[in-house]
Amino acid sequence: MKRLLIAIVLVAIGLCTSILLYAKNTPKVLVFMRNAQSSGDLEYMLRKEVGVMKDTLEKSGYKVVIATLDGKSFTAGSTTVKADIKLAKAKVTDYAGFILPCLAVPSYPAPPEVSPEAIALVKEAISAGKPVAAQTGSLWTLAKAGLLKGKKYAYAFEEKSPHFAGATFAGTGVVRDGLIITSGICPYMALKAKTNDGTEQLALALVAAMKDRK
């Protein structure tokens, strides 16, 4: 009986150790949610965009960390997406990749505000050789960071802003050009235009880019 108890304890210790090692070694992806609290379509986007991104990445074997500018969670209707950290506290070295949802924040005709923290993060990520994915309105973060120059990009249309100078419009579907991955159609646009949403494909393209780096 004593030997059985010892064996059970050893097995339990082994399982706990394995679980801890798995959790420690699971690669992480940072999802940065830009300020969208004023968007009337936020609940739809939290479910259909952020939720789908998170689910797709987790099913692909990644731990998802949600960052917001102020570290506060986003709530709309009956849906809440819990923030894990402030964006300024995110360390690029901790993550295998980065993804920026659109959240239906208006980006036309006037470009959205882009925080200095977001610009600094994507610049550092690309410099470190980490892939960055962005959908629709969040392409402005990449554009204002100067990361689209010389790259192909996906958007709802060919953007004529000076921030997109030197970049090549390649349609609305998911486009990968090196470490930059873009999608032109978010869930809200897909709903209104009755076309295909690029959310899942964008997340899967990011997964492929992260695996290519190994």
Side-chain angles (χ1 to χ4, degrees):
M1 185 67 177
K2 185 177 180 180
R3 289 181 178 178
L4 179 59
L5 289 173
I6 292 173
I8 292 173
V9 170
L10 290 175
V11 169
I13 291 173
L15 285 172
C16 289
T17 301
S18 297
I19 291 171
L20 289 172
L21 285 174
Y22 176 78
K24 182 179 180 180
N25 295 325
T26 301
K28 296 188 292 186
V29 174
L30 185 81
V31 176
F32 168 53
M33 294 171 54
R34 61 200 181 113
N35 194 351
Q37 297 288 19
S38 61
S39 171
D41 307 291
L42 183 57
E43 182 177 14
Y44 185 78
M45 296 299 283
L46 291 180
R47 289 189 291 106
K48 295 295 186 177
E49 187 178 37
V50 179
V52 169
M53 286 178 176
K54 186 173 185 293
D55 185 60
T56 302
L57 290 166
E58 288 177 342
K59 286 181 178 178
S60 299
Y62 293 85
K63 179 180 178 181
V64 174
V65 177
I66 304 290
T68 58
L69 278 176
D70 57 8
K72 295 180 180 179
S73 302
F74 280 14
T75 297
S78 61
T79 303
T80 295
V81 174
K82 182 181 178 297
D84 298 302
I85 61 171
K86 285 184 178 182
L87 183 65
K89 293 185 177 181
K91 296 180 180 179
V92 167
T93 53
D94 290 342
Y95 302 94
F98 304 81
I99 190 165
L100 287 62
C102 173
L103 291 176
V105 178
S107 59
Y108 187 81
E113 292 184 9
V114 178
S115 68
E117 296 95 331
I119 290 177
L121 179 82
V122 294
K123 280 185 174 181
E124 185 180 350
I126 296 301
S127 294
K130 307 285 183 79
V132 178
Q135 186 154 249
T136 322
S138 279
L139 261 74
W140 284 91
T141 301
L142 303 182
K144 290 189 175 183
L147 297 176
L148 292 183
K149 188 174 183 179
K151 298 289 184 180
K152 294 178 181 179
Y153 71 93
Y155 198 50
F157 48 82
E158 184 175 6
E159 177 57 60
K160 300 299 184 180
S161 166
H163 291 291
F164 284 72
T168 302
F169 175 64
T172 60
V174 174
V175 171
R176 177 181 170 188
D177 191 339
L179 296 172
I180 300 292
I181 309 158
T182 53
S183 166
I185 304 295
C186 68
Y188 176 77
M189 293 191 68
L191 178 68
K192 296 300 181 181
K194 296 181 180 180
T195 187
N196 295 325
D197 168 28
T199 302
E200 183 178 7
Q201 289 72 26
L202 181 67
L204 290 173
L206 176 62
V207 169
M210 291 186 291
K211 289 183 177 178
D212 285 349
R213 292 189 68 253
K214 292 183 179 180

